[in-house]
């Protein structure tokens, strides 16, 4: 801001200098009555116009050069969201390697569309503060209109990550792009893994608990459909109040485990639509020693492939057996590359899908 004020001061000073020169030329014309100063286009107006044009051109060039190379990063949640943290770390590193500064907008409340709407409105008032943006949308159905308005007013490319905020790729505004995994592919990959594990145990009517969230609901819907397709006898119960929060998933899983034990209908698998909730389900198993012993064959499957989740899986000795990996490093690198090319004038394609995989390796996603 100080640089801009300095440039404005220099512009004002230069224009005043030009005006003084023009006034001097006018005075000279009056005193000397020289014919060349009394031409149809007086010298003073030529001096003023030329000076102003040159100074204005220099000012615009310098202002463009001085525009901060800042990239906006807006995420929908922060506390205990390891996938977001890993994406941020890798994305910021990629930006800094290209001499860009990242500006992180933390959510007022996790996964609050209203809170993100306030942030988007503030950004729209100061579009020249940034040259590009990464946005992970919260409650996209409720704020898609404001996202579209931001993209049209901002004048810079916007890369949407992880959450596709519009129904179809062609609905994305110009100079915006979605980079992330296909949410349906995630559900199918998890269902395939669970079905394979149940087949190995010769369980044709497994009882499966799904802990999901209202956000990214495609994951649990696709999982249920794909599992039913492979195991028509499966009994699946979905709780979509997990909100991607570890403690909430622990409470939900704890209630279901106790109820299942008391009623004699033991669970065979728990699928959680992110790793935080999968770790919460594992916490519930550890807290209930009786349930842990009874559910010794139960498997827990998560989504994201965070470092913490993969470390727990590698350690063995727990029911957390697999996670569907959304490679945060690859997504960050891909999104950054798309944004940098857009800043150079290359219009991005609407949708770039990064494939998922199952961890541990050896299972087809």
């Amino acid at each position: 801001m100080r640089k801009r004020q300095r440039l404005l001061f220099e512009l004002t000073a230069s224009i005043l200098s030009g005006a003084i020169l023009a006034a001097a030329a006018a005075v000279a014309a009056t005193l000397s009555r020289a014919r060349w100063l009394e031409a149809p286009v007086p010298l003073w107006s030529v001096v003023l116009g030329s000076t102003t044009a040159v100074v204005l051109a220099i000012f615009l060039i310098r202002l463009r050069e001085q525009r901060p190379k800042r990239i906006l990063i807006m995420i929908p949640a922060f506390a205990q969201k390891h996938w977001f943290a890993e994406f941020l770390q890798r994305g910021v590193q990629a930006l800094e390697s290209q001499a860009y500064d990242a500006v992180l907008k933390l959510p007022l409340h996790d996964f609050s569309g209203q809170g993100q709407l306030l942030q988007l409105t503030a950004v729209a008032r100061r579009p020249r503060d940034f040259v590009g943006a990464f946005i992970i949308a919260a409650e996209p159905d409720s704020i898609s209109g404001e996202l579209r308005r931001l993209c049209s007013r901002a004048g810079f490319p916007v890369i949407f990550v992880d959450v596709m905020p519009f129904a179809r790729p062609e609905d994305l505004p110009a100079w915006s792009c979605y980079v992330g995994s296909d949410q349906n592919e995630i559900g199918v990959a998890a269902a395939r893994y669970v079905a394979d594990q149940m087949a190995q145990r010769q369980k044709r009517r497994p009882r499966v608990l799904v802990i999901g969230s209202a956000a990214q609901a495609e994951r649990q819907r696709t999982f249920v459909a794909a599992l039913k397709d492979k195991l028509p006898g499966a009994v699946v119960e979905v709780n979509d109040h997990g909100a991607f929060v570890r403690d909430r998933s622990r409470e939900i899983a704890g209630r279901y485990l106790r109820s299942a034990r008391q009623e004699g209908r033991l669970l065979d698998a728990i699928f959680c639509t992110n790793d935080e909730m999968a770790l919460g389900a594992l916490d519930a198993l550890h807290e209930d020693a009786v349930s842990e012993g009874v559910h010794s064959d139960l498997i827990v499957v998560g989504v994201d492939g965070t470092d913490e989740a993969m470390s727990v899986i590698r350690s063995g000795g727990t029911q957390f057996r697999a996670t569907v990996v959304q490679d945060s490093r690859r997504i960050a690198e891909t999104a950054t590359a798309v944004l940098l090319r857009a800043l150079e004038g290359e219009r991005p394609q609407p949708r770039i899908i990064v494939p998922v995989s199952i961890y541990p390796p050896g299972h087809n996603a």
Side-chain angles (χ1 to χ4, degrees), residues 198 202-206 231-234:
M198 296 301 102
Q202 298 183 345
K203 294 185 176 181
R204 298 181 179 180
R205 294 180 56 84
L231 293 173

Side-chain angles (χ1 to χ4, degrees), residues 85-100:
E86 292 170 11
F87 169 79
L88 285 173
Q89 179 184 15
R90 289 155 181 167
V92 169
Q93 288 174 348
L95 290 171
E96 288 182 343
S97 69
Q98 300 297 321
Y100 286 90

Side-chain angles (χ1 to χ4, degrees), residues 144-164:
S144 60
E146 187 61 32
L147 289 171
R148 187 181 301 280
R149 281 189 289 274
L150 172 68
C151 291
S152 63
R153 295 174 183 173
F156 54 68
V158 177
I159 310 301
F160 295 102
V161 179
D162 188 49
V163 178
M164 174 61 171

Side-chain angles (χ1 to χ4, degrees), residues 212-235:
S213 173
Q216 303 286 37
E218 297 90 346
R219 297 178 185 179
Q220 58 252 33
R221 286 197 294 262
T222 307
F223 171 84
V224 173
L227 185 63
K228 285 284 191 177
D229 182 62
K230 292 180 174 296
L231 293 173
V235 178

Side-chain angles (χ1 to χ4, degrees), residues 26-341:
V27 171
T30 301
L31 295 178
S32 64
R33 311 301 274 174
R35 292 181 179 178
W36 61 276
L37 290 175
E38 296 177 333
V41 180
L43 177 62
W44 65 267
S45 61
V46 175
V47 172
L48 178 60
S50 300
T51 303
T52 301
V54 171
V55 172
L56 183 59
I58 295 173
F59 170 76
L60 292 174
I61 293 172
R62 292 190 60 187
L63 184 60
R64 182 178 178 86
E65 292 175 348
Q66 294 294 336
R67 185 176 180 180
K69 295 176 66 175
R70 288 199 293 260
I71 304 296
L72 169 69
I73 301 180
M74 188 176 293
I75 61 176
F78 184 72
Q80 297 185 356
K81 298 297 180 288
H82 291 87
W83 191 89
F84 290 155
E86 292 170 11
F87 169 79
L88 285 173
Q89 179 184 15
R90 289 155 181 167
V92 169
Q93 288 174 348
L95 290 171
E96 288 182 343
S97 69
Q98 300 297 321
Y100 286 90
D101 292 327
V103 178
L104 175 63
K105 293 290 185 179
L106 295 178
L108 301 175
H109 304 285
D110 282 0
F111 299 106
S112 168
Q114 185 62 33
Q116 200 168 64
L117 182 61
L118 295 174
Q119 293 178 328
L120 289 168
T121 302
V123 170
R125 294 194 189 104
R126 306 188 311 274
R128 291 194 61 83
D129 286 358
F130 306 99
V131 296
F134 294 122
I135 297 178
I136 303 177
E139 299 182 354
D141 291 342
S142 64
I143 65 172
S144 60
E146 187 61 32
L147 289 171
R148 187 181 301 280
R149 281 189 289 274
L150 172 68
C151 291
S152 63
R153 295 174 183 173
F156 54 68
V158 177
I159 310 301
F160 295 102
V161 179
D162 188 49
V163 178
M164 174 61 171
F166 304 100
R168 302 172 302 172
E170 52 267 33
D171 293 336
L172 283 159
W175 293 95
S176 65
C177 171
Y178 168 72
V179 177
S181 299
D182 186 306
Q183 303 307 308
N184 294 321
E185 185 182 354
I186 289 173
V188 170
R192 186 177 299 154
Y193 177 85
V194 171
D196 289 347
Q197 293 297 309
M198 296 301 102
Q200 292 176 23
R201 292 166 169 77
Q202 298 183 345
K203 294 185 176 181
R204 298 181 179 180
R205 294 180 56 84
R207 303 191 70 89
V208 180
L209 170 63
V210 178
I211 304 178
S213 173
Q216 303 286 37
E218 297 90 346
R219 297 178 185 179
Q220 58 252 33
R221 286 197 294 262
T222 307
F223 171 84
V224 173
L227 185 63
K228 285 284 191 177
D229 182 62
K230 292 180 174 296
L231 293 173
V235 178
V236 185
E237 190 162 357
V238 178
N239 186 304
D240 60 2
H241 299 295
F244 294 148
V245 176
R246 181 169 180 164
D247 288 344
R248 188 172 296 186
S249 176
R250 174 181 57 79
E251 295 170 359
I252 293 170
R255 290 198 304 270
Y256 277 89
L257 289 169
R258 289 189 295 272
S259 176
R261 187 178 70 249
Q262 292 168 1
E263 298 177 11
R265 48 181 183 82
L266 300 183
L267 290 172
D268 296 296
I270 300 177
F271 170 55
C272 299
T273 57
N274 83 336
D275 285 339
E276 297 298 326
M277 293 191 296
L279 291 168
L282 192 63
D283 292 339
L285 283 164
H286 289 169
E287 289 174 357
D288 190 340
V290 175
S291 178
E292 184 178 6
V294 172
H295 288 92
S296 58
D297 289 336
L298 183 150
I299 65 170
V300 176
V301 179
V303 174
D304 279 340
T306 63
D307 291 341
E308 182 182 8
M310 291 193 291
S311 177
V312 172
I313 294 169
R314 279 196 303 271
S315 69
T318 75
Q319 286 96 332
F320 197 172
R321 302 297 174 79
T323 180
V324 182
V325 180
Q326 297 188 98
D327 191 336
S328 60
R329 180 184 299 277
R330 186 173 175 185
I331 289 174
E333 291 174 350
T334 302
T336 302
V338 171
L339 179 61
L340 294 176
R341 289 197 298 269

